[in-house]
Amino acid sequence: MIENLIESIAEQSEEDLDYSNLLDELNILLTDPINLNRANENDLNKLFILNKNQITNFIKYRESTGQIFSLYELQLIPGFSSEIIRTIAPFVSLKQMAQDTLSKRKKAKHILLLKSERTIEEEKGYTTENANSRYLGNPWKYYSRYQYTSPEKNVSFGFTSEKDKGEPFFEAENKNGFDFYSAYIQYNSKGILKQVNLGDYQIKFGQGLSIWSGLGGGKSSLTTHNAYKSQGIKSYKSTDENQFHRGISLLLAPLKNVNFALFTSYKKKDGTLQSDSIKPFISSIVNTGFHRNSSEFDKKHKLEEMIFGSYLSANLKKIELGISFLQSKYTPEIKGTDAAYNFHGFKGSENRNISLYYETQFRSIHLYGEIAQSKSGGKALLQGANIQAHPQLNFELIYRKYDPDYHALFSNAFAEQSKTQNEEGFYMGVEFHPYPKWTLKAYYDQFQFPWLRYSANSPSEGHEYFSQLEFTPNNSVSVYFRYKQESKPENDSSGVIKSLVDQKKNQYRLHLSAKLNENWEIRNRIEISQYQKENINENGYLLYQDLIYHFTNKPISLNLRYALFDTDSFNSRIYAYENDILYAYSVPAYYLKGNRFYINFNWELNRHLKLYARYSQTKYSNQTSIGSGNSEIKGYTKSEIKLLLKFRF
């Protein structure tokens, strides 16, 4: 599930997104699985993979039959296939916790993570003669995180600190050690004052049209699981230096099934500061979080962001309703660029967002939607329906319409683009289980852009098609074939006056995973990509072999990948998820020609201490350098090392 979700989002997005919160939540479930015999709807929402219909059917089944004794029993529930059961199995349990286990859970929990990583080869940024571009720090990345949870789980606090590669550490323009610090305190209660957050936090509300900090969702192999599940206010533990709030929030429960939240935030963000004849302004917001050289330090914390907001949600008997309000103020004002595609972009020093969302269940149909408006008058609308047409047949339909002048800087809704703006589309997904061991998934998305885009000098439209056939003969073996096709207009390569031409991408994938015994697991994949634009026709392939080994009598595990790839250019690149150290992720784009391997080593030294290590290397053929700009490496090899220590006490 993690692999498919992250791979798909990485393929869709042009940004380097932060998946650590998602990995964090799933790793928590691995150590503290959800007991299906006691789980409520909120608990089941944490599994991500289950949609509203499946959760409703599960609760009805449990109420009618009583305790569930085997996961195989879930196949009797409409919408639950062997594939879904196999996917959720690591995150759930059926056993009642023993008394000694309960007593251990009553103790306070401390977790300390210490991580470092670096690229072994030297990048150009460390040696360049350009004083404004030269990196001021060493090539190591340092990261630390501490978490405390009280015995009753009503109080938690922690901090995170990070220094990226090349950033100074207790030197130069950074005398405070780490470049980024984050801290939080959260208090939970069963009274009217339900939750208090101090420090850094995130808000995920409705379908993401107005407020959804951090990673949302996107088109993936989970073709009928695109409805967002409101998560409210949560402590922020990640290292993305932008997509969070810093201040205080209060969550009240004045009535049963009614939540009312108030929150305020103040923080500084990076931006390009310029000045006209009247006053300074921000021409662009910088979201990289890098402060490695003088040029990047010149953009650090140039923009002040002040936010005040609230939301109200009510879970009535047959319908859930919610309304949110967000007021934001920026100093100095944001002007953006003068490019034609940015004509409708956000400009000014203030913005307001108000949204209304709902979700309801009518028999086997789950309806959900949200409508929002910004200060500019621009509107955003999303309406979805998940239909359980048959116990083994599920549909999802989504219509969205985001005006070009709709501005929501903390939105992250279902979309083709990374912004909830300038898009209209209709999505249809299907999941069909014709036989117990077979699963067919597909979606078709038709979209259009009413205004210009960065890469398109006129309004345009496109489509995307995905299909996947999976065969799971038993709980140990799974094989699937996938085809994906996308057509999206882009500017041609002519001179000043550009016209649109279709840019087409085709991908074919065959994937096999098998657990041979309690020790060995293998994964094989071959993927082919095709790219076409004007007279350019490019092709590429990726072939890899994974070996995973768990020692029987030792708390040690190893996993290894060897991959061969060959693509004509970056246009025909192929993304593939890689296993990594704990709370980390890697989704590199394989392109040009070469080979890559990595090895992960996990060792539980004792019940309090675990060691994670990773070494990876990519070798390119017929290349004298790798990368560009300050990231350029002379030669044809790029190697990385990562180390992580986890203390739990």
Side-chain angles (χ1 to χ4, degrees):
M1 178 182 69
I2 302 174
E3 176 181 334
N4 288 334
L5 183 60
I6 293 180
E7 267 185 353
S8 299
I9 295 174
E11 290 171 0
Q12 300 286 340
S13 178
E14 298 176 357
E15 300 180 359
D16 187 13
L17 299 176
D18 185 2
Y19 307 98
S20 55
N21 271 347
L22 172 63
L23 294 172
D24 192 13
E25 293 176 25
L26 292 174
N27 275 296
I28 289 173
L29 293 181
L30 285 174
T31 57
D32 191 9
I34 295 171
N35 189 328
L36 292 180
N37 283 310
R38 298 190 302 178
N40 56 31
E41 183 175 340
N42 290 332
D43 295 327
L44 296 172
N45 279 333
K46 297 176 183 178
L47 292 170
F48 293 98
I49 192 174
L50 298 182
N51 59 37
K52 181 74 172 182
N53 274 315
Q54 290 166 331
I55 292 174
T56 300
N57 291 339
F58 171 82
I59 293 175
K60 287 181 179 178
Y61 176 84
R62 190 180 61 187
E63 289 175 348
S64 63
T65 62
Q67 185 173 349
I68 298 172
F69 294 96
S70 170
L71 285 178
Y72 297 109
E73 190 178 337
L74 300 183
Q75 296 184 73
L76 301 174
I77 304 174
F80 279 78
S81 64
S82 57
E83 179 210 4
I84 291 174
I85 296 169
R86 180 171 50 86
T87 303
I88 67 173
F91 309 109
V92 300
S93 69
L94 297 172
K95 297 179 181 179
Q96 298 293 328
M97 287 183 288
Q99 193 61 39
D100 60 338
T101 304
L102 287 171
S103 63
K104 291 180 182 179
R105 298 280 173 87
K106 292 292 184 180
K107 296 181 180 180
K109 183 168 69 174
H110 306 260
I111 295 177
L112 176 63
L113 303 175
L114 300 174
K115 182 175 74 172
S116 62
E117 61 181 84
R118 66 163 292 172
T119 301
I120 295 177
E121 291 77 19
E122 190 172 62
E123 298 181 358
K124 182 180 178 181
Y126 298 101
T127 58
T128 179
E129 296 181 0
N130 187 328
N132 289 327
S133 299
R134 187 183 304 119
Y135 292 165
L136 302 173
N138 64 56
W140 283 95
K141 177 177 181 177
Y142 302 138
Y143 166 91
S144 63
R145 184 169 116 187
Y146 169 75
Q147 296 173 227
Y148 165 83
T149 306
S150 66
E152 302 298 332
K153 296 186 178 181
N154 60 335
V155 176
S156 62
F157 61 82
F159 69 83
T160 302
S161 53
E162 181 195 50
K163 178 201 93 74
D164 287 309
K165 301 172 185 177
E167 292 180 340
F169 189 58
F170 287 108
E171 60 181 341
E173 299 186 53
N174 188 10
K175 304 294 185 181
N176 298 318
F178 291 93
D179 180 72
F180 175 72
Y181 289 96
S182 175
Y184 70 89
I185 301 175
Q186 180 169 313
Y187 170 76
N188 296 89
S189 170
K190 296 182 179 180
I192 294 179
L193 183 59
K194 188 175 181 180
Q195 182 177 313
V196 179
N197 286 77
L198 294 173
D200 296 344
Y201 59 91
Q202 286 186 320
I203 303 176
K204 298 187 177 184
F205 179 83
Q207 292 300 314
L209 298 190
S210 179
I211 311 174
W212 195 278
S213 303
L215 185 68
K219 289 174 282 188
S220 71
S221 61
L222 302 176
T223 54
T224 60
H225 299 74
N226 294 295
Y228 284 16
K229 303 172 180 68
S230 289
Q231 300 174 34
I233 303 172
K234 306 182 74 172
S235 298
Y236 183 69
K237 307 170 187 175
S238 189
T239 55
D240 186 298
E241 300 183 23
N242 298 281
Q243 294 301 314
F244 67 93
H245 303 291
R246 174 166 288 172
I248 181 171
S249 70
L250 303 175
L251 181 61
L252 308 174
L255 299 170
K256 185 179 180 181
N257 297 325
V258 175
N259 290 323
F260 176 65
L262 288 168
F263 54 90
T264 184
S265 168
Y266 171 80
K267 73 174 190 289
K268 293 183 177 181
K269 306 178 72 171
D270 295 354
T272 304
L273 182 65
Q274 297 185 10
S275 181
D276 54 23
S277 58
I278 302 176
K279 58 183 178 180
F281 64 90
I282 296 294
S283 61
S284 64
I285 299 175
V286 180
N287 292 320
T288 63
F290 291 137
H291 307 114
R292 300 166 295 186
N293 52 39
S294 298
S295 178
E296 292 172 347
F297 268 102
D298 288 341
K299 301 173 183 179
K300 184 176 181 178
H301 294 171
K302 299 300 182 183
L303 178 64
E304 296 182 18
E305 177 187 72
M306 184 71 188
I307 289 176
F308 171 78
S310 65
Y311 71 77
L312 175 69
S313 64
N315 193 345
L316 307 178
K317 188 174 182 180
K318 293 186 178 181
I319 189 171
E320 181 176 335
L321 298 171
I323 185 170
S324 72
F325 173 80
L326 185 70
Q327 171 80 40
S328 56
K329 184 176 182 179
Y330 297 92
T331 307
E333 70 173 333
I334 300 172
K335 281 193 174 182
T337 67
D338 294 328
Y341 72 85
N342 196 46
F343 178 79
H344 293 290
F346 174 73
K347 300 176 180 68
S349 58
E350 291 187 6
N351 190 36
R352 286 189 299 273
N353 295 96
I354 186 169
S355 71
L356 175 68
Y357 92 91
Y358 85 97
E359 64 171 305
T360 185
Q361 187 82 20
F362 176 71
R363 295 183 180 176
S364 61
I365 302 176
H366 173 220
L367 297 173
Y368 58 92
E370 186 174 9
I371 185 170
Q373 183 173 0
S374 61
K375 181 185 176 183
S376 63
K379 297 180 179 61
L381 168 69
L382 184 143
Q383 173 60 58
N386 190 289
I387 306 168
Q388 193 74 47
H390 182 273
Q392 304 304 326
L393 179 62
N394 189 223
F395 291 99
E396 186 161 43
L397 309 174
I398 301 175
Y399 171 75
R400 76 267 190 192
K401 187 177 188 298
Y402 311 142
D403 289 346
D405 60 341
Y406 176 69
H407 307 136
L409 301 185
F410 276 96
S411 65
N412 195 353
F414 180 88
E416 167 65 19
Q417 306 179 101
S418 58
K419 292 184 178 180
T420 310
Q421 184 182 20
N422 186 36
E423 180 174 328
E424 182 176 6
F426 181 76
Y427 169 97
M428 183 175 72
V430 61
E431 184 173 336
F432 181 41
H433 305 281
Y435 302 102
K437 299 177 181 180
W438 292 87
T439 301
L440 175 64
K441 300 178 181 179
Y443 69 71
Y444 180 81
D445 188 34
Q446 180 75 35
F447 45 82
Q448 62 178 9
F449 311 106
W451 185 246
L452 285 58
R453 295 178 291 125
Y454 174 76
S455 56
N457 285 354
S458 64
S460 57
E461 63 180 26
H463 69 267
E464 183 176 319
Y465 170 75
F466 167 97
S467 62
Q468 178 173 302
L469 180 63
E470 182 168 3
F471 176 57
T472 310
N474 53 56
N475 291 329
S476 301
V477 179
S478 173
V479 58
Y480 71 79
F481 175 76
R482 174 184 298 182
Y483 170 67
K484 181 180 177 183
Q485 189 264 339
E486 182 182 30
S487 177
K488 186 190 297 185
E490 304 280 353
N491 291 329
D492 62 17
S493 57
S494 60
V496 178
I497 300 177
K498 296 182 180 294
S499 58
L500 296 184
V501 295
D502 283 337
Q503 175 183 269
K504 296 181 180 180
K505 295 180 181 179
N506 293 286
Q507 292 174 282
Y508 308 84
R509 176 187 297 178
L510 181 62
H511 183 97
L512 166 70
S513 60
K515 189 172 182 179
L516 304 180
N517 51 47
E518 63 178 4
N519 301 109
W520 285 99
E521 183 178 348
I522 63 169
R523 295 172 189 166
N524 301 82
R525 176 180 298 183
I526 181 169
E527 184 161 350
I528 298 171
S529 68
Q530 298 174 335
Y531 173 88
Q532 180 181 357
K533 181 180 179 182
E534 298 180 271
N535 296 322
I536 301 174
N537 289 282
E538 297 184 359
N539 298 284
Y541 76 82
L542 166 67
L543 175 67
Y544 74 64
Q545 170 73 65
D546 283 354
L547 295 174
I548 303 170
Y549 184 76
H550 302 275
F551 286 82
T552 303
N553 299 318
K554 297 180 181 179
I556 297 175
S557 64
L558 296 168
N559 62 73
L560 167 74
R561 169 175 297 178
Y562 182 76
L564 296 171
F565 58 92
D566 186 359
T567 75
D568 292 330
S569 78
F570 185 73
N571 293 326
S572 48
R573 64 192 179 276
I574 299 173
Y575 289 91
Y577 179 86
E578 296 182 348
N579 288 317
D580 212 313
I581 61 176
L582 185 68
Y583 301 121
Y585 53 88
S586 179
V587 196
Y590 292 79
Y591 64 97
L592 299 179
K593 183 177 182 179
N595 64 78
R596 176 174 171 82
F597 85 90
Y598 68 78
I599 183 169
N600 293 334
F601 173 78
N602 305 332
W603 182 17
E604 186 175 354
L605 286 84
N606 55 54
R607 57 190 298 262
H608 301 294
L609 179 62
K610 291 184 180 180
L611 170 66
Y612 301 83
R614 172 185 165 96
Y615 177 78
S616 62
Q617 185 181 83
T618 306
K619 288 187 177 181
Y620 293 89
S621 302
N622 305 319
Q623 297 292 315
T624 58
S625 65
I626 302 170
S628 60
N630 277 349
S631 299
E632 182 181 358
I633 295 173
K634 294 296 183 182
Y636 57 88
T637 302
K638 183 176 181 179
S639 311
E640 292 180 302
I641 186 171
K642 295 182 181 181
L643 298 169
L644 171 68
L645 282 174
K646 179 182 179 181
F647 299 88
R648 184 171 181 171
F649 48 94

